[in-house]
Amino acid sequence: MTFSIVARDPQAGELGIAVQSKFLAVGAVVPWAQAGIGAIATQSWANTTYGPRGLELLARGFSAAETLEQLLADDAERAKRQVGIVPASGAPVTYTGSECFPWAGGRVGEHYACQGNILVSEETVNAMARTFEETSGQLCDRLLAALAAGQEAGGDSRGQQSAALLVVREKGGYGGFNDRFIDLRVDDHPHPIEELARLLRLHRLYLFPPDPQDILPIDGAIARELQELLRRSGDYHGPLSGVFDAQTREAFWHFCGRENLEERWLEGERIDRVVLTFMRERLGSQSGGSGSA
């Protein structure tokens, strides 16, 4: 009743899972991951102990195949289970028990494992694998593209209900206090993958760190535009001087804090292009924006 992809990006040091199902709140059941250790999807009459126990075995140095072997050996109902395991390094594995409802099966690549059950056909996992291999960009984008391709190829034969996206990396969580770089869930929605994509766009805006290529110096033109925009937001009441002075900086900080943009705040006379674009779209820009941005 579920299809998923578990994958890693060795260059970025990320591990992740994307999953969709005709099942309420699939994100609370299927995806498990720990930065530097591995990622696991447990589904089809899911045995949720496979998540924490599997990560513990991987952390102890077991390979993905050895981890799978141990999990299955301890499970009397292993014939009903389906699981995909991608370690931080080494070969991924996927398993489909003989009692999983058809179509059920999986496919493994160098850095991923795809699996699904109660699918329209095997083209769902083939489409996920093919799309993951052919898509460039960040792991979250590749996972979501693969999930959408799986749905387009047929997906769960019973329909759609929930979806989730989990990506971990060292100190990737809010404030750097944990590894949960992305943890998004759509628990009940007629189009959960599209809704998941919308949430990822918001997550990127609010919680991704600034891209160095998007960091702009606040010159006179941008400073004046900020003052104009911050007047409209009600945060700035000073002159349109074109100087990024203490009053302008305080107004800008107040705006960023209210709009949950603090993760994109930059010290000094600098601004994230993404924040400036957000302000222009939200507040309008009489000048149409600075040529330097």
Side-chain angles (χ1 to χ4, degrees), residues 76-112:
E77 295 188 294
R78 54 188 170 271
K80 297 180 179 179
R81 315 297 187 201
Q82 189 171 57
V83 59
I85 303 175
V86 174
S89 61
V93 294
T94 187
Y95 164 82
T96 299
S98 59
E99 296 180 17
C100 290
F101 295 129
W103 189 91
R107 179 171 166 180
V108 171
E110 182 181 5
H111 298 300
Y112 67 87

Side-chain angles (χ1 to χ4, degrees), residues 65-258:
E66 291 167 339
T67 296
L68 176 62
E69 181 179 8
Q70 186 64 57
L71 293 174
L72 297 177
D74 296 337
D75 187 355
E77 295 188 294
R78 54 188 170 271
K80 297 180 179 179
R81 315 297 187 201
Q82 189 171 57
V83 59
I85 303 175
V86 174
S89 61
V93 294
T94 187
Y95 164 82
T96 299
S98 59
E99 296 180 17
C100 290
F101 295 129
W103 189 91
R107 179 171 166 180
V108 171
E110 182 181 5
H111 298 300
Y112 67 87
C114 300
Q115 45 281 316
N117 61 92
I118 319 185
L119 302 181
V120 171
S121 74
E122 65 179 313
E123 182 54 25
T124 291
V125 293
N126 290 337
M128 283 195 293
R130 184 169 59 249
T131 300
F132 184 80
E133 292 176 352
E134 295 174 352
T135 302
S136 59
Q138 292 183 283
L139 181 61
C140 59
D141 298 316
R142 298 175 69 195
L143 288 170
L144 194 56
L147 197 67
Q151 178 59 38
E152 182 67 22
D156 189 324
S157 63
R158 301 169 312 148
Q160 302 182 69
Q161 185 169 8
S162 66
L165 175 66
L166 173 63
V167 177
V168 298
R169 70 183 190 193
E170 292 290 346
K171 297 182 178 180
Y174 182 78
F177 294 111
N178 61 33
D179 66 357
R180 299 237 156 185
F181 180 45
I182 302 170
D183 188 0
L184 299 175
R185 302 177 183 185
V186 178
D187 290 343
D188 184 31
H189 196 279
H191 304 289
I193 298 175
E194 290 89 338
E195 178 64 6
L196 191 61
R198 186 186 72 84
L199 293 179
L200 179 58
R201 289 193 294 272
L202 291 177
H203 184 92
R204 192 187 303 274
L205 168 65
Y206 293 124
L207 295 170
F208 272 34
D211 186 327
Q213 296 181 353
D214 284 331
I215 297 176
L216 305 171
I218 300 179
D219 58 16
I222 291 179
R224 181 181 175 87
E225 184 181 3
L226 279 175
Q227 290 167 341
E228 292 174 346
L229 293 168
L230 291 166
R231 271 190 175 183
R232 293 174 206 159
S233 70
D235 295 292
Y236 179 72
H237 305 285
L240 301 178
S241 64
V243 177
F244 191 65
D245 54 15
Q247 185 179 6
T248 307
R249 181 186 183 281
E250 182 178 356
F252 184 35
W253 169 246
H254 189 269
F255 174 86
C256 287
R258 187 179 63 252

Side-chain angles (χ1 to χ4, degrees), residues 265-284:
W265 173 261
L266 298 165
E267 293 295 337
E269 297 183 359
R270 303 180 300 161
I271 187 172
D272 186 339
R273 187 194 307 269
V274 172
V275 173
L276 184 56
T277 299
F278 173 84
M279 295 178 72
R280 287 169 174 168
E281 292 175 349
R282 176 67 61 89
L283 302 168

